[in-house]
Amino acid sequence: IAGRDFALITAAELLDLLNTAAPGAHLVLRATAVEGRISSLAADLDTVAATLEFSDVRFLDEVLLTQVVFSMPVTFQRTTFAGDLSLAEARFQREFALRECQVDGKTNFRDARFAAVADFTGSQLAASFNGAGARFAAAAFTRLRCRGGAYLENVRFAGPADFSEAVFGGVASFKDAHWEAPVTFVGTRLIGRSFFWKAHFAAADFSRARFARDTSFKQAEFASHPTFAGVTFGRAAHFEQVRFDAGATFDGSAFAGPAVFAGTHSRGDLMLNAIFRTSLDLRHLVAPVLDLRPSAAAPDSLLGQGAGLLLQNARLDRLFASWDHLRGHLAQPEEQSGYELDRVYAVLRHNFLRAGMEGDARACHVESLDQRRRHLPWTAFERYALSVFGLTSGYGTDLQRLALTAVVWVALLALLYRWMPPAERPFGFVECLAFSLHTFLNTGAAAVRAEGKVRFLALFQA
C-alpha cells in the first residue's frame, strides 16, 4: 500500500482476537492492514478487556465499535481509517488515544464516556466529527484537523481540555458544553461558523484564536476571567447576555464585523481594548469597570471609520476611555425612531468629569448639543437657538469665540447705525460705535438717544 508492505488480516480475525483476548492481555498491531467491515454489533462484541496498541495500522473499511466497554488502555497511533469510525456510546475506563491518525469517513463519539485522558492530538478528520453528549475526564485536541463540521454539543469536561492550534473547517458547535476545569483554545482556527450558546467555562483562554466567520457566545457563562487577547473575529461576534463572573480581557483583538455585547453582565473589569471596525453594541451592559482605551499594540485604533458605538442603558461604575477615540461614533439602533442620545452623552460627560478630564467632558458636551441640533426638525425654534449658541461660543465652551462674536456684533451694528438717515441716527461713527456698545452691554441711559427707525434696530440688538 503506497509503496509499503503491510501484514494483512481480515476484520473477522481481528474481531475474534478482541472477543477472545484474556483480561489484562496486551494486543499489539503494527504495520498491519485490516480488510473488511468491523462491526461490534454484528460480532456480538460488548467488552474488550485487553490493552490495545495499534500503530501504523490501516483499516480498509469502516470501523463500528459502538456500545463497547474498553476496560484497559486503547491507543491508535498513526492509524488510517479508510471509512467511517464510530465509537458511539462506548465506555473507556482507562486512557484512550487517537493520535496522529487519519479518518477519511465520519468520526462518531456520540455519548461516549471517557473515565481517563482522551488524546486526539494531531489527528486529521476528513469529514464531520460528532461528539455530542460525550463525557470527558480530560481531553487533548491539540493540532486536530477537522475538515467537516464538529458537533460537541452538550459535552462535559470534568478535567482540563486543550484545543490549542486545532483547525475546524466546517461548523463548530459547542452549544451547552460544560468545562468544569480550564480549557484552552490558544491559536485555534475556526473557519466555519462557531457556536458556544449557553456554554459554561470554569477558565478559558482564547488567545490568538481565529474566527473566520460568525461566532456566537450567546448566554455563555464564564466562572473566572477569560482571555481573548489577540483574537481575530472575521465576521459578527455575538456576546449577548453573557455572564462574566470575574470580568474578561479582549486586549489587542480585532472585530471585523459587528461586536454585540448587549445585555452582558460582568462582575469584574471588562477590558475591551480592541479594534472595532463596524460597530460595538454595549446596550444594557452591566459592569463595574469598562475599559475602552486602545490596545498598547495599536494605540491609535479603537473604533474604525464609520463604526457605531451603542451605549444605551449601560450601567457602569467607571469608564476608562478618551473622547478622541469615541468622538463621532455614538449611535442609536436603526429601529429607534426618536433621538435618544442625550442620556448617553450625559453619562460619558459625567465619567470624564469624575476622571478629571475636563477637556474631554467639554468636547463631549459640544458634540451632544450639536447632535441634538441636527436631529431637531427645521420648524423647531430650539434648532436655531442652538445654531446661534454653537456659532457664537461653541455651546458655551469657547470664551475667545464669544468675545470675538461680541466685537464683530458691536462693530456691525455700529455700521448699520451709521447708514441710517442722518436725522434718525447718532452723529458720527464714533458715536454710533459707543451707542452700539452701550446697547449691547445695556449699562443704563445712553448719552445719545435713538430716534425713528433706529429705535427698532437698537431693540433688535438689545
Side-chain angles (χ1 to χ4, degrees):
I1 300 174
R4 296 182 55 203
D5 293 333
F6 290 83
L8 181 65
I9 65 173
T10 65
E13 291 174 320
L14 179 57
L15 286 168
D16 185 58
L17 288 173
L18 296 177
N19 257 322
T20 59
H26 196 162
L27 181 59
V28 179
L29 288 182
R30 289 192 176 93
T32 300
V34 182
E35 186 178 40
R37 180 176 181 267
I38 295 177
S39 174
S40 59
L41 297 178
D44 198 24
L45 176 65
D46 58 6
T47 303
V48 176
T51 298
L52 302 184
E53 185 180 341
F54 293 176
S55 179
D56 197 18
V57 175
R58 289 177 178 262
F59 291 91
L60 306 181
D61 207 329
E62 62 183 0
V63 177
L64 309 176
L65 295 174
T66 58
Q67 301 179 354
V68 177
V69 176
F70 297 90
S71 58
M72 299 298 288
V74 177
T75 301
F76 294 96
Q77 179 87 11
R78 295 186 300 277
T79 295
T80 301
F81 299 85
D84 294 345
L85 170 63
S86 178
L87 288 158
E89 302 181 48
R91 301 293 185 268
F92 300 92
Q93 298 177 355
R94 299 285 295 277
E95 295 84 0
F96 170 81
L98 189 73
R99 264 192 311 269
E100 299 177 8
C101 296
Q102 179 177 331
V103 183
D104 295 336
K106 297 178 181 178
T107 306
N108 188 0
F109 284 87
R110 179 178 51 82
D111 293 325
R113 299 292 185 269
F114 299 87
V117 176
D119 187 358
F120 295 84
T121 300
S123 290
Q124 301 205 22
L125 313 180
S128 62
F129 174 61
N130 186 358
R135 300 293 183 268
F136 294 89
F141 295 87
T142 310
R143 302 190 311 279
L144 176 72
R145 300 291 187 270
C146 183
R147 297 179 186 176
Y151 303 94
L152 290 165
E153 300 169 355
N154 194 29
V155 176
R156 298 293 186 272
F157 295 88
D162 189 352
F163 290 85
S164 58
E165 305 298 335
V167 177
F168 296 93
V171 172
S173 181
F174 295 88
K175 296 177 183 177
D176 202 28
H178 283 66
W179 284 274
E180 299 172 7
V183 58
T184 176
F185 284 86
V186 174
T188 302
R189 293 174 57 196
L190 298 103
I191 299 173
R193 293 181 300 165
S194 55
F195 303 94
F196 292 83
W197 295 352
K198 299 183 179 179
H200 296 256
F201 297 88
D205 188 353
F206 285 85
S207 299
R208 298 185 287 104
R210 299 292 183 268
F211 297 87
R213 296 183 66 84
D214 294 355
T215 185
S216 177
F217 286 81
K218 188 174 182 179
Q219 296 181 358
E221 297 181 0
F222 294 85
S224 63
H225 191 100
T227 299
F228 289 86
V231 176
T232 299
F233 296 93
R235 298 283 183 86
H238 294 270
F239 287 84
E240 296 104 320
Q241 303 174 38
V242 172
R243 192 183 75 190
F244 297 108
D245 287 345
T249 296
F250 289 81
D251 184 64
S253 293
F255 293 80
V260 185
F261 288 82
T264 292
H265 283 242
S266 179
R267 296 180 181 176
D269 298 351
L270 189 56
M271 317 296 287
L272 293 182
N273 315 112
I275 299 173
F276 303 93
R277 302 193 185 282
T278 304
S279 65
L280 174 58
D281 188 349
L282 300 175
R283 288 176 294 171
H284 304 282
L285 172 73
V286 178
V289 172
L290 173 63
D291 194 336
L292 281 179
R293 291 173 293 190
S295 169
D300 296 326
S301 299
L302 181 74
L303 292 159
Q305 185 175 5
L309 173 62
L310 287 81
L311 270 170
Q312 285 77 1
N313 299 310
R315 292 162 52 192
L316 311 170
D317 292 337
R318 290 294 302 274
L319 172 66
F320 292 105
S322 169
W323 181 247
D324 287 339
H325 295 102
L326 305 184
R327 188 193 311 272
H329 292 288
L330 294 186
Q332 59 187 41
E334 294 180 359
E335 65 273 11
Q336 200 166 2
S337 57
Y339 178 71
E340 298 289 344
L341 284 177
D342 284 342
R343 179 174 174 79
V344 175
Y345 280 107
V347 169
L348 287 176
R349 185 185 181 196
H350 174 70
N351 274 278
F352 289 138
L353 290 174
R354 284 183 59 187
M357 303 167 65
E358 289 82 2
D360 292 62
R362 284 195 299 271
C364 177
H365 178 60
V366 169
E367 183 174 303
S368 69
L369 293 175
D370 202 44
Q371 289 294 327
R372 179 174 181 81
R373 174 184 62 80
R374 293 178 182 178
H375 284 83
L376 287 169
W378 290 97
T379 56
F381 173 77
E382 184 182 359
R383 181 186 182 100
Y384 301 97
L386 287 173
S387 297
V388 173
F389 192 26
L391 288 172
T392 57
S393 65
Y395 299 106
T397 62
D398 192 340
L399 294 181
Q400 290 182 349
R401 188 193 300 183
L402 180 61
L404 179 62
T405 301
V407 171
V408 171
W409 186 246
V410 169
L412 178 62
L413 267 295
L415 290 175
L416 291 177
Y417 291 134
R418 186 71 178 83
W419 290 338
M420 283 290 183
E424 299 180 359
R425 60 171 170 79
F427 181 81
F429 177 74
V430 175
E431 287 79 4
C432 289
L433 185 61
F435 179 78
S436 177
L437 181 61
H438 169 80
T439 306
F440 182 83
L441 297 175
N442 195 18
T443 56
V448 180
R449 296 189 62 181
E451 300 290 344
K453 298 178 181 179
V454 174
R455 293 178 298 172
F456 296 101
L457 184 59
L459 181 62
F460 173 74
Q461 181 184 8

